């Protein structure tokens, strides 16, 4: 019953006295999804701004230290600022952001397509449509009535082809018993079981009793959460989302921690438009090929576009440019006047 029809995104512009401008974006997917909300970003930036003005944004570690000192927690508030600082550093060094995150490791990053929860036959048609567009990875949205979800999973995987990957994502929608009933009823199918329950303890219990490859998403809201999940052997695949981690800096740390433990990853973000897609694209393309499962291009799901130059989908992969910084140019006519200016 939780539906988002309009996503409220916040775009941050950082101006420097050297004439270099950096852009960031953060977009919570409704206040009921994660402990974050759009108005909180804008209020939090107002709290942080007076502590950040005058700092060198190229000193990204020092910038994050100051943000964490002046505002405990609230990682999602800091994300767009951290991304904008990466944009500035890349432009000042004439390097793409992916060069700052470890360097390009692949020509294009593998992508998945999200299949909206609905009638099983319609979900099967959505899979076929995405397949025709070149996708080989499909994320089926479940997490409703277990009996209905079992039908959705079977319909979505009907006609699965060799080499295709299916994820069944409940987005925390089931109780522990419901998740186990779905897992047992579909034990004959090959798919990735993604974030069935809300509580970490419930997910850990289900993970220990299901034969399916297990992925955590909403339970991983910080590098510390990732470390705990690795210690508990709570996952096979991790979802690293930039905004919930607090920006590219901490997302890179979490990504590298997973890669060091041979954990595959989805590298993406909560939601957003072209600026978010650029940031996640640079993080994805700089991830070791044997550590990335997939990524996405969130702006393709939107009907409003706020910038040019964002990574583009091609035959089920994401193409990321080598232009300096994020490589995007915001459309100021679409963005309109700032809702707040701090100087």
């Amino acid at each position: 019953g939780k539906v988002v029809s309009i996503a409220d995104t916040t775009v941050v512009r950082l101006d420097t006295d050297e004439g270099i401008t950096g852009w960031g974006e953060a977009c919570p997917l409704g206040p009921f999804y994660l402990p974050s909300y759009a108005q909180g970003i804008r209020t939090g930036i107002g709290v942080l701004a007076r502590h950040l003005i005058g700092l060198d944004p190229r000193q990204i570690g020092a910038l994050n230290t100051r943000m964490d000192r002046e505002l405990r927690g609230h990682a999602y508030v800091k994300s767009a600022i951290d991304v904008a600082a990466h944009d500035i550093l890349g432009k000042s060094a004439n390097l793409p952001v992916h060069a700052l995150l470890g360097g390009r490791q692949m020509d294009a990053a593998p992508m998945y397509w999200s299949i909206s929860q609905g009638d099983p036959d319609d979900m099967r048609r959505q899979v076929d449509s995405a397949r025709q567009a070149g996708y080989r990875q499909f994320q089926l949205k479940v997490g409703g009535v277990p009996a209905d979800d079992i039908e959705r999973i079977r319909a979505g995987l009907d006609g699965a082809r060799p080499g295709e990957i299916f994820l069944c994502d409940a987005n925390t929608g089931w109780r522990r018993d419901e998740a186990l009933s779905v897992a047992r009823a579909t034990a004959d199918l090959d798919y990735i079981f993604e974030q069935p329950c809300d509580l970490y303890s419930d997910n850990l219990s289900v993970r220990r009793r299901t034969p399916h490859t297990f992925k955590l998403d909403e339970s991983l809201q910080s590098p510390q959460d990732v470390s705990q999940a690795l210690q508990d052997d709570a996952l096979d695949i991790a979802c690293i989302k930039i905004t919930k981690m607090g920006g590219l800096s901490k997302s890179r740390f979490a990504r590298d921690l997973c890669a060091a433990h041979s954990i595959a990853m989805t590298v993406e973000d909560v939601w957003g438009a072209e600026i978010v897609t650029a940031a996640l694209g640079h993080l994805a393309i700089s991830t070791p090929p044997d550590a990335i499962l997939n990524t996405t291009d969130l702006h393709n799901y939107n009907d409003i576009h706020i910038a040019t130059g964002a990574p583009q989908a091609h035959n089920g992969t994401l193409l990321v440019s080598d232009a300096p910084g994020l490589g995007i140019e915001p459309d100021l006519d679409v963005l309109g006047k700032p809702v707040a200016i701090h100087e």
Side-chain angles (χ1 to χ4, degrees):
K2 296 178 179 179
V3 177
V4 175
S5 57
I6 298 175
D8 185 336
T9 195
T10 299
V11 173
V12 171
R13 170 177 173 166
L14 293 187
D15 290 325
T16 70
D17 55 10
E18 296 291 331
I20 301 174
T21 295
W23 296 89
E25 180 188 6
C27 186
L29 196 57
F32 52 73
Y33 174 58
L34 289 172
S36 60
Y37 65 109
Q39 296 88 341
I41 295 176
R42 299 190 279 273
T43 300
I45 288 172
V47 172
L48 285 171
R50 66 180 184 274
H51 301 291
L52 305 182
I53 292 171
L55 299 183
D56 185 344
R58 299 171 300 176
Q59 305 298 322
I60 298 177
L63 182 71
N64 274 275
T65 297
R66 178 65 67 87
M67 289 196 290
D68 288 342
R69 187 179 72 189
E70 302 297 344
L71 181 64
R72 292 181 61 84
H74 302 282
Y76 72 103
V77 171
K78 305 165 188 175
S79 180
I81 296 173
D82 175 86
V83 170
H86 278 83
D87 192 27
I88 289 172
L89 178 56
K91 290 173 179 175
S92 67
N94 198 34
L95 291 171
V97 165
H98 60 70
L100 312 177
L101 301 174
R104 177 183 286 275
Q105 300 220 34
M106 62 194 87
D107 293 331
M111 295 176 60
Y112 72 87
W113 187 258
S114 182
I115 308 298
S116 300
Q117 184 183 133
D119 177 79
D121 289 335
D122 180 60
M123 293 181 73
R124 183 190 294 110
R125 287 190 289 269
Q126 290 183 59
V127 170
D128 288 337
S129 178
R131 184 180 286 127
Q132 293 302 314
Y135 288 85
R136 295 296 176 265
Q137 299 194 39
F138 315 94
Q139 184 191 66
L140 307 177
K141 291 297 186 180
V142 288
V145 176
D148 296 339
D149 286 328
I150 292 167
E151 291 187 29
R152 292 180 178 116
I153 293 170
R154 290 198 172 277
L157 270 69
D158 184 33
R161 300 177 183 180
E164 292 183 340
I165 295 173
F166 288 83
L167 303 95
C168 295
D169 182 11
N171 285 121
T172 75
W174 293 318
R175 298 189 310 260
R176 186 186 300 195
D177 62 303
E178 292 174 327
L180 287 169
S181 70
V182 173
R184 289 165 180 159
T186 57
D188 59 311
L189 300 177
D190 183 14
Y191 67 86
I192 296 166
F193 210 46
E194 181 171 356
Q195 191 73 38
C197 306
D198 185 17
L199 296 179
Y200 175 74
S201 57
D202 287 337
N203 285 303
L204 183 58
S205 176
V206 173
R207 187 270 199 286
R208 290 171 174 169
R209 290 188 281 171
T210 177
H212 298 291
T213 301
F214 204 82
K215 178 182 174 184
L216 286 179
D217 177 359
E218 288 84 0
S219 289
L220 306 178
Q221 297 184 32
S222 69
Q224 291 84 354
D225 289 342
V226 172
S227 179
Q228 185 66 56
L230 292 172
Q231 180 179 330
D232 294 338
D233 189 26
L235 76 172
D236 303 299
I237 300 168
C239 186
I240 306 299
K241 288 181 174 173
I242 294 169
T243 296
K244 69 179 181 180
M245 290 288 164
L248 284 168
S249 298
K250 292 176 181 175
S251 294
R252 177 188 181 177
F253 180 81
R255 177 200 68 180
D256 293 347
L257 186 61
C258 287
H261 287 80
S262 298
I263 296 294
M265 285 167 280
T266 292
V267 177
E268 58 174 356
D269 210 336
V270 178
W271 202 260
E274 280 79 2
I275 301 173
V276 160
T277 296
L280 69 86
H282 284 280
L283 185 63
I285 211 75
S286 58
T287 299
D290 60 355
I292 189 167
L293 177 70
N294 53 40
T295 187
T296 189
D297 60 337
L298 288 172
H299 70 278
N300 260 3
Y301 294 93
N302 300 331
D303 55 11
I304 295 176
H305 301 286
I306 65 172
T308 58
Q312 296 296 314
H314 174 70
N315 198 32
T317 64
L318 190 65
L319 303 178
V320 182
S321 81
D322 291 324
L326 292 174
I328 54 91
E329 187 63 38
D331 187 330
L332 299 182
D333 290 333
V334 173
L335 291 177
K337 295 180 179 180
V339 297
I341 299 175
H342 306 281
E343 56 186 8

